Amino acid sequence: MSVEYYRKRLIDLRSQMIKEREAKKRDNEHYSSLIKGASSPSSKASYRKSKIDHAASHDRRIESLKREIENVRKSLAREREKAKKK
């Protein structure tokens, strides 16, 4: 792969991370409004559980993206070293 490929990949991954953080924020606001508007205790509990589950899902995705960014950075460094040797 080329240096340009890894640079583009880093940009794409960073934008995905930003979108995922925004999605997490939107979901939290959405579930907070559902919890406030719920009439029964059981529906409130259900919304709270859904909110926690969705937030955890977003957190896992963000951590996955962070790991992927780190791997791409290492690959980019290796590719730059190869280019220097040529």
Side-chain angles (χ1 to χ4, degrees):
M1 307 271 173
S2 68
V3 172
E4 286 77 29
Y5 167 79
Y6 289 117
R7 285 183 184 160
K8 183 182 180 315
R9 185 77 179 123
L10 274 175
I11 292 168
D12 291 344
L13 289 170
R14 287 178 182 143
S15 68
Q16 286 177 20
M17 189 182 308
I18 290 169
K19 287 179 186 175
E20 193 66 32
R21 285 181 176 152
E22 290 171 355
K24 179 182 176 183
K25 202 179 295 184
R26 264 194 321 274
D27 280 354
N28 279 340
E29 290 170 359
H30 173 72
Y31 281 106
S32 292
S33 68
L34 288 175
I35 291 167
K36 286 179 186 176
S39 55
S40 69
S42 63
S43 62
K44 276 189 180 190
S46 173
Y47 290 141
R48 282 191 183 108
K49 183 181 181 316
S50 293
K51 181 180 176 181
I52 291 168
D53 291 344
H54 280 87
S57 174
H58 287 295
D59 288 339
R60 284 190 302 273
R61 177 74 177 131
I62 289 169
E63 288 303 314
S64 170
L65 288 168
K66 285 180 183 178
R67 283 191 304 274
E68 203 169 339
I69 286 172
E70 197 56 41
N71 290 336
V72 170
R73 282 184 181 157
K74 289 176 185 175
S75 298
L76 179 59
R78 280 194 305 269
E79 197 63 36
R80 285 182 176 154
E81 287 298 317
K82 273 195 226 175
K84 282 183 184 179
K85 290 179 182 178
K86 288 183 180 179

